[in-house]
Amino acid sequence: AQSVAQPEDQVNVAEGNPLTVKCTYSVSGNPYLFWYVQYPNRGLQFLLKYITGDNLVKGSYGFEAEFNKSQTSFHLKKPSALVSDSALYFCAVSAFGGGYNKLIFGAGTRLAVHP
Amino acid sequence: EAQVTQNPRYLITVTGKKLTVTCSQNMNHEYMSWYRQDPGLGLRQIYYSMNVEVTDKGDVPEGYKVSRKEKRNFPLILESPSPNQTSLYFCASSGANTEAFFGQGTRLTVV
């Protein structure tokens, strides 16, 4: 069965420090992987995706993610956190190894960046 | 501006009273989906549509109906809502090679 795990309910980081939000997945075939962010009372905003190619993908707002096939992971990273990065982050994988339509989401990780 | 529009944003209703949540997209996307978001569970897909008149069940379809009569619209219908359908609902659309775009969400409370 296809699944996504975000092992941390919450990540706390001091402003200016690097941040990592973890994601592991289980999917048959080649995965399409995504990160979305949700601010309070807002919909989900797309951050970045991995489809193929370079394992390090760069996205919006200075975020990047590293695809690791052997560890089936797709961790979200940022070199220097901002207070405004505080939000709920979701990792998602496309089912059946392709397409953008049927997404399976992790439970979400709340990122809190402290001044 | 490219967007997915859901209405209403907030809705409180009583058990058994039929309701419809509308969703419209202006990007000419083929694919549209409905998700519900519950604490600790992330988003789970309810139904999705690959094009006009083509729909299929997602992971949690029980108690919901959808229709896709026009490419831009994908309404979600709850024929007889129950309290366990209290949730935050999101509509999303995507093209053949684009990421999914999400609406602002509809917070539904069934009492």
Side-chain angles (χ1 to χ4, degrees):
Chain A
Q2 331 276 353
S3 64
V4 175
Q6 293 182 242
E8 302 152 317
D9 291 336
Q10 178 152 332
V11 170
N12 296 298
V13 165
E15 188 174 30
N17 283 0
L19 69 88
T20 299
V21 183
K22 296 179 180 177
C23 172
T24 59
Y25 65 90
S26 173
V27 64
S28 54
N30 294 320
Y32 287 20
L33 294 157
F34 306 84
W35 276 101
Y36 283 85
V37 59
Q38 183 180 33
Y39 297 100
N41 299 316
R42 302 288 298 275
L44 276 72
Q45 296 179 30
F46 170 76
L47 279 180
L48 52 79
K49 65 185 176 190
Y50 172 83
I51 306 301
T52 187
D54 194 347
N55 289 344
L56 184 65
V57 293
K58 295 187 184 298
S60 306
Y61 312 122
F63 284 94
E64 56 189 29
E66 186 168 12
F67 171 64
N68 187 317
K69 189 172 184 178
S70 63
Q71 297 185 4
T72 61
S73 66
F74 190 56
H75 301 332
L76 181 70
K77 300 181 180 184
K78 188 174 182 181
S80 178
L82 300 172
V83 172
S84 58
D85 293 330
S86 299
L88 185 57
Y89 290 80
F90 289 99
C91 180
V93 64
S94 173
F96 311 115
Y100 294 76
N101 184 43
K102 185 170 174 58
L103 297 175
I104 295 172
F105 285 84
T109 297
R110 189 163 299 280
L111 174 66
V113 182
H114 305 284
Chain B
E1 179 188 354
Q3 59 184 3
V4 178
T5 303
Q6 293 178 230
N7 280 296
R9 292 288 310 277
Y10 302 91
L11 180 59
I12 301 174
T13 190
V14 296
T15 298
K17 185 176 181 182
K18 181 179 178 180
L19 65 91
T20 299
V21 184
T22 63
C23 174
S24 180
Q25 51 97 0
N26 64 358
M27 294 166 279
N28 201 36
H29 284 164
E30 293 87 357
Y31 303 114
M32 297 186 76
S33 301
W34 276 103
Y35 294 85
R36 59 178 288 173
Q37 181 181 359
D38 301 291
L41 297 176
L43 281 79
R44 294 176 292 168
Q45 193 176 56
I46 302 170
Y47 268 95
Y48 63 99
S49 170
M50 290 160 283
N51 215 321
V52 175
E53 303 291 4
V54 182
T55 63
D56 204 354
K57 296 177 180 179
D59 297 315
V60 288
E62 294 78 17
Y64 304 94
K65 285 177 55 178
V66 293
S67 68
R68 187 96 181 270
K69 296 188 182 344
E70 304 166 283
K71 197 172 186 179
R72 63 183 291 121
N73 296 324
F74 191 46
L76 179 70
I77 303 158
L78 284 72
E79 295 269 6
S80 183
S82 62
N84 65 11
Q85 293 178 297
T86 292
S87 187
L88 180 58
Y89 291 86
F90 287 102
C91 180
S93 75
S94 58
N97 292 296
T98 72
E99 65 276 8
F101 290 80
F102 285 80
Q104 296 282 68
T106 295
R107 187 167 293 281
L108 172 66
T109 302
V110 183
V111 298

